[in-house]
Amino acid sequence: MTTTLITGANKGLGRETARRLVAAGHTVYVGARDAERGRRAAEELGARFVQLDVTDDASVEAAVQTVEAAGGLDVLINNAGIETRTDDNSVPVAETVTADHMRITFETNVFGVVRVLHAFLPLLRRSAAPVVVNVSSGLASLTNLSDPAHPAHFYPGVAYPTSKAAVNMLTVQFAKAFPDIRINSVEPGFTKTDLNGNTGTQSVEQGAEVIVRMAQIGPDGPTGGYFDVDGPLPW
């Protein structure tokens, strides 16, 4: 049976992904910072709970020990992420973004991915068919954001797309370094979640589609790529 860990899985895209993968027969670990919310979500989904704060070394190491003791890991989904917003639910733009905005965003979205990947690599490398899915964003595409004709071009924020572009680079470099692991970035689309103040235009069911699909690829599947539900995206 495939064992899957999803970070930030007590709500939103992570929770829906967990629900779908449990239904597909995976043993799923719901990783969450908040123990009460995480346990409740895991119980409701028929999954397992593991306390996991991607910004904390000790928390991640404890999660590794929990998952290892139960048998190992086949699929890691780096889903936990944040987008800094102001009180009126707008994003800091080039004129107002600060180093603190960048630091806070990168701590979860980039350093957190590295921290979790580094810690779980030994378990993934023991799997017969290891997979890593890094939840990125369409806003990470330099090609699309620099194209005035593309819908993403309108987005004025700095910290979030910069962090997700960094996630895409992590995907490329880790995929090259570990060719036996299928490692890809995915763009779930503008999904209605707490991350964007529930301003998204699609449901979590729609957004989770590409995450679930890429979590289930086999050893012959793509690696080092960047995909949405319709296929490859330009970097």
Side-chain angles (χ1 to χ4, degrees), residues 6 8 40 47 56 71 87 98 104 113 139 141 146 167 190 210 212 234:
I6 308 169
R40 183 165 61 246
D56 182 78
D87 291 340
T98 65
I104 291 167
V113 170
L139 298 175
S141 171
S146 61
V167 168
F190 190 30
V210 68
V212 172

Side-chain angles (χ1 to χ4, degrees), residues 13 39 46 51 79 88 123 127 134 171 207 216 224 234:
L13 285 169
R39 286 195 183 94
Q51 198 282 330
N79 169 74
D88 63 356
L123 299 190
S127 170
N134 293 326
T171 292
Q216 297 182 89

Side-chain angles (χ1 to χ4, degrees), residues 80-105:
I82 64 169
E83 181 183 43
T84 53
R85 288 191 170 240
T86 61
D87 291 340
D88 63 356
N89 201 39
S90 62
V91 295
V93 297
E95 184 179 4
T96 60
V97 69
T98 65
D100 283 341
H101 289 139
M102 299 295 290
R103 188 177 297 109
I104 291 167
T105 305

Side-chain angles (χ1 to χ4, degrees), residues 81 88 109 182 207 213 218-219:
D88 63 356
N109 295 4
R182 305 294 89 184
R213 181 187 304 172

Side-chain angles (χ1 to χ4, degrees), residues 176-200:
K176 289 192 299 183
F178 302 100
D180 293 335
I181 306 177
R182 305 294 89 184
I183 305 175
N184 293 288
S185 285
V186 298
E187 138 69 331
F190 190 30
T191 306
K192 186 177 181 180
T193 66
D194 288 349
L195 179 139
N196 53 47
N198 292 299
T199 58

Side-chain angles (χ1 to χ4, degrees), residues 142-154:
L142 300 180
T143 299
N144 290 343
L145 260 71
S146 61
D147 178 4
H150 194 278
H153 184 265
F154 83 94

